[in-house]
mmCIF file of all heavy atoms in Angstrom:
data_model
loop_
_atom_site.group_PDB
_atom_site.id
_atom_site.type_symbol
_atom_site.label_atom_id
_atom_site.label_comp_id
_atom_site.label_asym_id
_atom_site.label_seq_id
_atom_site.Cartn_x
_atom_site.Cartn_y
_atom_site.Cartn_z
ATOM 1 N N ASN A 23 32.488 98.084 18.504
ATOM 2 C CA ASN A 23 31.438 97.117 18.778
ATOM 3 C C ASN A 23 30.346 97.384 17.750
ATOM 4 O O ASN A 23 30.159 98.562 17.255
ATOM 5 C CB ASN A 23 30.861 97.362 20.151
ATOM 6 C CG ASN A 23 31.760 96.891 21.208
ATOM 7 O OD1 ASN A 23 32.293 95.770 21.151
ATOM 8 N ND2 ASN A 23 31.944 97.663 22.290
ATOM 9 N N ILE A 24 29.569 96.404 17.315
ATOM 10 C CA ILE A 24 28.440 96.600 16.511
ATOM 11 C C ILE A 24 27.151 96.626 17.207
ATOM 12 O O ILE A 24 26.794 95.710 18.013
ATOM 13 C CB ILE A 24 28.416 95.454 15.331
ATOM 14 C CG1 ILE A 24 29.604 95.562 14.460
ATOM 15 C CG2 ILE A 24 27.106 95.478 14.625
ATOM 16 C CD1 ILE A 24 30.918 94.923 14.828
ATOM 17 N N ALA A 25 26.472 97.741 17.069
ATOM 18 C CA ALA A 25 25.278 97.968 17.847
ATOM 19 C C ALA A 25 24.062 97.438 17.101
ATOM 20 O O ALA A 25 23.124 96.974 17.709
ATOM 21 C CB ALA A 25 25.051 99.463 18.073
ATOM 22 N N LEU A 26 24.019 97.581 15.734
ATOM 23 C CA LEU A 26 22.833 97.230 14.946
ATOM 24 C C LEU A 26 23.118 96.732 13.531
ATOM 25 O O LEU A 26 24.008 97.334 12.946
ATOM 26 C CB LEU A 26 21.910 98.402 14.873
ATOM 27 C CG LEU A 26 20.636 98.370 13.953
ATOM 28 C CD1 LEU A 26 19.567 97.466 14.612
ATOM 29 C CD2 LEU A 26 20.086 99.799 13.828
ATOM 30 N N PHE A 27 22.468 95.655 13.201
ATOM 31 C CA PHE A 27 22.335 95.372 11.798
ATOM 32 C C PHE A 27 21.017 95.702 11.237
ATOM 33 O O PHE A 27 19.982 95.320 11.756
ATOM 34 C CB PHE A 27 22.601 93.849 11.602
ATOM 35 C CG PHE A 27 23.936 93.270 11.832
ATOM 36 C CD1 PHE A 27 24.229 92.696 13.025
ATOM 37 C CD2 PHE A 27 24.968 93.370 10.945
ATOM 38 C CE1 PHE A 27 25.526 92.239 13.361
ATOM 39 C CE2 PHE A 27 26.241 92.850 11.157
ATOM 40 C CZ PHE A 27 26.553 92.274 12.358
ATOM 41 N N ALA A 28 20.927 96.532 10.151
ATOM 42 C CA ALA A 28 19.767 96.935 9.492
ATOM 43 C C ALA A 28 19.806 96.372 8.011
ATOM 44 O O ALA A 28 20.627 96.857 7.228
ATOM 45 C CB ALA A 28 19.540 98.439 9.523
ATOM 46 N N SER A 29 19.006 95.347 7.745
ATOM 47 C CA SER A 29 19.186 94.784 6.417
ATOM 48 C C SER A 29 17.874 94.710 5.561
ATOM 49 O O SER A 29 16.827 94.677 6.184
ATOM 50 C CB SER A 29 19.631 93.290 6.672
ATOM 51 O OG SER A 29 19.760 92.542 5.420
ATOM 52 N N ASP A 30 18.012 94.697 4.334
ATOM 53 C CA ASP A 30 16.935 94.486 3.389
ATOM 54 C C ASP A 30 16.421 93.082 3.685
ATOM 55 O O ASP A 30 17.127 92.227 4.200
ATOM 56 C CB ASP A 30 17.514 94.610 1.985
ATOM 57 C CG ASP A 30 16.426 94.760 0.925
ATOM 58 O OD1 ASP A 30 15.268 94.335 1.207
ATOM 59 O OD2 ASP A 30 16.715 95.266 -0.140
ATOM 60 N N SER A 31 15.178 92.870 3.311
ATOM 61 C CA SER A 31 14.517 91.522 3.527
ATOM 62 C C SER A 31 15.015 90.489 2.549
ATOM 63 O O SER A 31 14.903 89.256 2.781
ATOM 64 C CB SER A 31 13.055 91.648 3.463
ATOM 65 O OG SER A 31 12.699 92.226 2.135
ATOM 66 N N ARG A 32 15.733 90.949 1.487
ATOM 67 C CA ARG A 32 16.246 89.923 0.527
ATOM 68 C C ARG A 32 17.671 90.261 0.183
ATOM 69 O O ARG A 32 18.001 91.468 -0.041
ATOM 70 C CB ARG A 32 15.453 89.961 -0.749
ATOM 71 C CG ARG A 32 14.017 89.527 -0.581
ATOM 72 C CD ARG A 32 13.221 89.522 -1.872
ATOM 73 N NE ARG A 32 11.762 89.397 -1.653
ATOM 74 C CZ ARG A 32 10.916 89.266 -2.614
ATOM 75 N NH1 ARG A 32 11.289 89.419 -3.867
ATOM 76 N NH2 ARG A 32 9.642 89.119 -2.355
ATOM 77 N N LEU A 33 18.565 89.265 0.279
ATOM 78 C CA LEU A 33 20.003 89.486 0.015
ATOM 79 C C LEU A 33 20.374 88.560 -1.141
ATOM 80 O O LEU A 33 19.742 87.472 -1.382
ATOM 81 C CB LEU A 33 20.791 89.167 1.211
ATOM 82 C CG LEU A 33 20.580 90.112 2.486
ATOM 83 C CD1 LEU A 33 21.370 89.555 3.620
ATOM 84 C CD2 LEU A 33 20.847 91.506 2.192
ATOM 85 N N PRO A 34 21.469 88.907 -1.914
ATOM 86 C CA PRO A 34 21.783 88.159 -3.116
ATOM 87 C C PRO A 34 22.536 86.817 -2.886
ATOM 88 O O PRO A 34 22.533 85.908 -3.657
ATOM 89 C CB PRO A 34 22.707 89.127 -3.975
ATOM 90 C CG PRO A 34 23.303 90.014 -2.955
ATOM 91 C CD PRO A 34 22.228 90.223 -1.893
ATOM 92 N N ASP A 35 23.088 86.683 -1.657
ATOM 93 C CA ASP A 35 23.934 85.531 -1.408
ATOM 94 C C ASP A 35 23.443 84.698 -0.246
ATOM 95 O O ASP A 35 24.115 83.702 0.099
ATOM 96 C CB ASP A 35 25.432 85.980 -1.177
ATOM 97 C CG ASP A 35 25.627 86.934 0.047
ATOM 98 O OD1 ASP A 35 24.573 87.458 0.456
ATOM 99 O OD2 ASP A 35 26.701 87.020 0.572
ATOM 100 N N ALA A 36 22.433 84.973 0.454
ATOM 101 C CA ALA A 36 21.958 84.234 1.609
ATOM 102 C C ALA A 36 20.518 84.603 1.895
ATOM 103 O O ALA A 36 20.170 85.762 1.755
ATOM 104 C CB ALA A 36 22.846 84.399 2.755
ATOM 105 N N ASP A 37 19.721 83.696 2.329
ATOM 106 C CA ASP A 37 18.480 84.045 2.974
ATOM 107 C C ASP A 37 18.697 84.873 4.196
ATOM 108 O O ASP A 37 19.638 84.836 4.948
ATOM 109 C CB ASP A 37 17.771 82.701 3.534
ATOM 110 C CG ASP A 37 16.481 82.896 4.100
ATOM 111 O OD1 ASP A 37 15.452 83.012 3.413
ATOM 112 O OD2 ASP A 37 16.512 83.016 5.317
ATOM 113 N N ILE A 38 17.740 85.810 4.299
ATOM 114 C CA ILE A 38 17.916 86.853 5.347
ATOM 115 C C ILE A 38 18.101 86.251 6.749
ATOM 116 O O ILE A 38 18.863 86.726 7.609
ATOM 117 C CB ILE A 38 16.877 87.939 5.331
ATOM 118 C CG1 ILE A 38 17.158 89.033 6.384
ATOM 119 C CG2 ILE A 38 15.511 87.303 5.394
ATOM 120 C CD1 ILE A 38 18.398 89.733 6.301
ATOM 121 N N LEU A 39 17.275 85.199 6.998
ATOM 122 C CA LEU A 39 17.335 84.614 8.307
ATOM 123 C C LEU A 39 18.684 83.901 8.477
ATOM 124 O O LEU A 39 19.195 83.786 9.673
ATOM 125 C CB LEU A 39 16.199 83.674 8.525
ATOM 126 C CG LEU A 39 14.789 84.376 8.493
ATOM 127 C CD1 LEU A 39 13.661 83.363 8.661
ATOM 128 C CD2 LEU A 39 14.638 85.486 9.504
ATOM 129 N N VAL A 40 19.234 83.237 7.516
ATOM 130 C CA VAL A 40 20.518 82.651 7.580
ATOM 131 C C VAL A 40 21.618 83.659 7.880
ATOM 132 O O VAL A 40 22.449 83.525 8.643
ATOM 133 C CB VAL A 40 20.839 81.861 6.383
ATOM 134 C CG1 VAL A 40 22.171 81.216 6.339
ATOM 135 C CG2 VAL A 40 19.764 80.670 6.163
ATOM 136 N N ALA A 41 21.380 84.765 7.193
ATOM 137 C CA ALA A 41 22.428 85.999 7.430
ATOM 138 C C ALA A 41 22.307 86.367 8.892
ATOM 139 O O ALA A 41 23.471 86.606 9.483
ATOM 140 C CB ALA A 41 22.119 87.099 6.411
ATOM 141 N N PHE A 42 21.165 86.607 9.279
ATOM 142 C CA PHE A 42 21.030 87.098 10.729
ATOM 143 C C PHE A 42 21.677 85.998 11.711
ATOM 144 O O PHE A 42 22.233 86.372 12.735
ATOM 145 C CB PHE A 42 19.506 87.299 11.115
ATOM 146 C CG PHE A 42 19.034 88.711 10.694
ATOM 147 C CD1 PHE A 42 17.752 88.762 10.283
ATOM 148 C CD2 PHE A 42 19.838 89.762 10.858
ATOM 149 C CE1 PHE A 42 17.226 90.038 9.945
ATOM 150 C CE2 PHE A 42 19.263 90.978 10.566
ATOM 151 C CZ PHE A 42 18.045 91.217 10.133
ATOM 152 N N SER A 43 21.474 84.772 11.367
ATOM 153 C CA SER A 43 22.071 83.681 12.213
ATOM 154 C C SER A 43 23.556 83.856 12.253
ATOM 155 O O SER A 43 24.219 83.732 13.296
ATOM 156 C CB SER A 43 21.608 82.366 11.734
ATOM 157 O OG SER A 43 22.291 81.361 12.498
ATOM 158 N N ALA A 44 24.191 84.108 11.153
ATOM 159 C CA ALA A 44 25.716 84.280 11.027
ATOM 160 C C ALA A 44 26.070 85.531 11.731
ATOM 161 O O ALA A 44 27.021 85.476 12.458
ATOM 162 C CB ALA A 44 26.061 84.380 9.501
ATOM 163 N N TRP A 45 25.298 86.561 11.489
ATOM 164 C CA TRP A 45 25.761 87.920 12.263
ATOM 165 C C TRP A 45 25.539 87.757 13.793
ATOM 166 O O TRP A 45 26.392 88.273 14.487
ATOM 167 C CB TRP A 45 24.865 89.033 11.728
ATOM 168 C CG TRP A 45 25.088 89.238 10.229
ATOM 169 C CD1 TRP A 45 26.168 88.804 9.406
ATOM 170 C CD2 TRP A 45 24.104 89.790 9.380
ATOM 171 N NE1 TRP A 45 25.943 89.180 8.117
ATOM 172 C CE2 TRP A 45 24.691 89.769 8.018
ATOM 173 C CE3 TRP A 45 22.854 90.413 9.434
ATOM 174 C CZ2 TRP A 45 24.077 90.332 6.852
ATOM 175 C CZ3 TRP A 45 22.229 90.913 8.313
ATOM 176 C CH2 TRP A 45 22.819 90.887 7.091
ATOM 177 N N ARG A 46 24.505 87.056 14.133
ATOM 178 C CA ARG A 46 24.272 86.824 15.575
ATOM 179 C C ARG A 46 25.356 86.062 16.232
ATOM 180 O O ARG A 46 25.704 86.261 17.329
ATOM 181 C CB ARG A 46 22.881 86.163 15.796
ATOM 182 C CG ARG A 46 22.596 85.925 17.259
ATOM 183 C CD ARG A 46 21.217 85.315 17.343
ATOM 184 N NE ARG A 46 20.791 85.098 18.795
ATOM 185 C CZ ARG A 46 19.604 84.738 19.158
ATOM 186 N NH1 ARG A 46 18.685 84.605 18.254
ATOM 187 N NH2 ARG A 46 19.325 84.585 20.433
ATOM 188 N N SER A 47 25.799 84.959 15.469
ATOM 189 C CA SER A 47 26.876 84.203 15.977
ATOM 190 C C SER A 47 28.156 85.074 16.212
ATOM 191 O O SER A 47 28.929 84.816 17.258
ATOM 192 C CB SER A 47 27.212 83.012 15.021
ATOM 193 O OG SER A 47 28.326 82.236 15.474
ATOM 194 N N ALA A 48 28.381 86.015 15.216
ATOM 195 C CA ALA A 48 29.523 86.826 15.411
ATOM 196 C C ALA A 48 29.442 87.931 16.515
ATOM 197 O O ALA A 48 30.335 88.215 17.265
ATOM 198 C CB ALA A 48 29.893 87.505 13.978
ATOM 199 N N VAL A 49 28.290 88.495 16.583
ATOM 200 C CA VAL A 49 27.986 89.615 17.511
ATOM 201 C C VAL A 49 26.734 89.452 18.244
ATOM 202 O O VAL A 49 25.638 89.964 17.891
ATOM 203 C CB VAL A 49 27.946 91.010 16.661
ATOM 204 C CG1 VAL A 49 28.086 92.140 17.680
ATOM 205 C CG2 VAL A 49 29.044 91.102 15.642
#
């Protein structure tokens, strides 16, 4: 199980909020 995503505020391939939305959908 994934307990936590800890991410930089900027990512090279997606806006961070878009990334969180994708990760939230998965987990």
Side-chain angles (χ1 to χ4, degrees):
N23 290 315
I24 289 82
L26 173 68
F27 290 98
S29 178
D30 198 334
S31 57
R32 300 182 188 179
L33 299 176
D35 61 341
D37 177 86
I38 181 58
L39 298 180
V40 176
F42 274 144
S43 179
W45 301 336
R46 178 179 185 169
S47 177
V49 194

